[in-house]
Amino acid sequence: MSKREGEGGPRKNTDTVQDRDASNNPSSPVIAAFKVFQQELDTKHDKYERLVKISRDVTIESKRTIFLLHRVTSVPDPEEILNEAEVKLDGVRQKIGQIAEELRGEDIHQFHRAFTPGIQEYVEAVSFLHYIRHRSLISLEEINARLVFMRAEKGSAEALPPGTQVLTFHVTPSDYLLGVADLTGELMRMCISSVGNGDIDTPFQLSQFLRQIHDGFSFIGNTGPYEVSKKLHTLRQSLGKVEDACYTLRVRGSEIPKHMLADVFSSRGTLIDPEEV
């Protein structure tokens, strides 16, 4: 028994040394396989970082567009601002085209976290512009219809010029919902700004529109993305502030000078208790 154990001990040590030598051999199939895995992971991580950087650029330009659109309540000719915002959004769409290039042939769900903040901000900006122009909510199909890009590539379709290829980017339903939820905060700010500039009709239009959005999110309930439930809390706060402004306009509008209405709403807004979800 002890003899067998003594014979077995050195054999195990010998096998360990042999395995160690094999692992240090560059021509080993195990080493070759792990080098392939390393290259694949490095490529994926590099692509992920590039998508994060592009998403940051999309977020920054979308926020600038939103800030620009808030000026429409204080200028005599808003069409110039709307056209300028459209030009900015065209630049944002070119950035999204870079995201589409990075995702060519890839599984979008592996990289979704990298670019979803920028896409949500873009949805918020483009839906804000659409509401100012048409007083309605832009659909997901309308957003995706503008995200078609022409890129130079071999093997193009027959209907296209030689050396070009069509790339499309599809905004996911969850990103669309979260972007629309963020839109409600900008509409609330637009309401207060409109009242401060003497516009007493816009708050009532916004109140009705926000109620429709709130009803739509309420129908989703717990069946939607997890983030929707958190956004719904902010949506209810925005709706409460707009309804409070409409109430003040209807009841006390004749008592308060127009140039003081915005200050009254701002002070009252800070006293509103958040509605429990």
Side-chain angles (χ1 to χ4, degrees):
M1 184 75 178
S2 60
K3 183 178 180 180
R4 291 181 180 178
E5 290 178 354
E7 293 177 354
R11 185 180 298 117
K12 290 182 180 179
N13 293 333
T14 303
D15 293 341
T16 303
V17 172
Q18 292 176 352
D19 293 341
R20 189 177 304 165
D21 293 339
S23 63
N24 294 328
N25 184 7
S27 60
S28 171
V30 176
I31 296 298
F34 273 91
K35 284 185 177 180
V36 174
F37 300 153
Q38 178 185 6
Q39 293 176 355
E40 292 179 354
L41 289 175
D42 289 343
T43 302
K44 178 181 178 181
H45 292 160
D46 292 343
K47 185 185 293 290
Y48 192 95
E49 291 300 323
R50 289 196 299 270
L51 288 171
V52 170
K53 293 179 181 179
I54 299 174
S55 177
R56 289 196 191 118
D57 294 338
V58 172
T59 300
I60 292 172
E61 293 301 322
S62 298
K63 285 184 179 295
R64 289 175 178 171
T65 304
I66 293 173
F67 296 153
L68 174 65
L69 289 172
H70 275 296
R71 293 170 50 195
V72 298
T73 59
S74 59
V75 296
D77 184 18
E79 191 62 30
E80 181 178 354
I81 291 180
L82 296 179
N83 293 334
E84 184 179 352
E86 191 64 52
V87 173
K88 285 183 175 293
L89 286 178
D90 286 338
V92 174
R93 280 187 276 268
Q94 294 305 315
K95 294 288 185 181
I96 298 178
Q98 297 178 17
I99 296 179
E101 286 184 353
E102 293 287 349
L103 294 176
R104 184 188 305 180
E106 301 285 353
D107 182 5
I108 187 175
H109 299 289
Q110 292 185 1
F111 302 94
H112 184 251
R113 282 182 173 270
F115 60 84
T116 180
I119 298 302
Q120 293 177 28
E121 200 70 32
Y122 168 74
V123 171
E124 181 181 356
V126 74
S127 57
F128 193 24
L129 174 61
H130 187 274
Y131 176 81
I132 294 174
R133 283 190 181 277
H134 307 288
R135 288 297 190 267
S136 62
L137 179 64
I138 191 171
S139 65
L140 178 60
E141 291 75 16
E142 291 176 295
I143 293 178
N144 287 331
R146 301 291 300 275
L147 299 179
V148 180
F149 312 98
M150 305 287 290
R151 291 292 185 269
E153 188 72 19
K154 296 181 181 180
S156 60
E158 296 181 358
L160 299 175
T164 59
Q165 185 180 15
V166 175
L167 285 178
T168 59
F169 182 88
H170 295 284
V171 177
T172 62
S174 61
D175 288 341
Y176 172 74
L177 289 175
L178 296 174
V180 171
D182 291 334
L183 169 67
T184 59
E186 304 304 330
L187 294 179
M188 182 271 295
R189 296 181 185 94
M190 181 181 178
C191 170
I192 304 302
S193 300
S194 299
V195 174
N197 293 313
D199 183 4
I200 61 175
D201 295 327
T202 299
F204 293 96
Q205 298 174 1
L206 290 171
S207 176
Q208 183 178 3
F209 182 68
L210 288 175
R211 287 194 198 99
Q212 294 174 352
I213 294 181
H214 177 267
D215 292 342
F217 275 89
S218 299
F219 285 133
I220 296 175
N222 296 327
T223 60
Y226 168 73
E227 294 85 355
V228 170
S229 60
K230 297 190 296 184
K231 298 282 187 179
L232 184 59
H233 179 70
T234 305
L235 192 159
R236 287 173 175 169
Q237 285 183 302
S238 300
L239 176 59
K241 292 179 181 179
V242 173
E243 289 179 338
D244 184 72
C246 293
Y247 171 81
T248 303
L249 280 175
R250 185 71 70 185
V251 176
R252 300 184 56 198
S254 59
E255 304 175 2
I256 305 173
K258 290 184 177 180
H259 66 278
M260 296 179 59
L261 286 173
D263 295 334
V264 173
F265 294 147
S266 299
S267 61
R268 288 175 63 89
T270 58
L271 299 176
I272 298 177
D273 293 331
E275 184 179 353
E276 296 295 331
V277 180

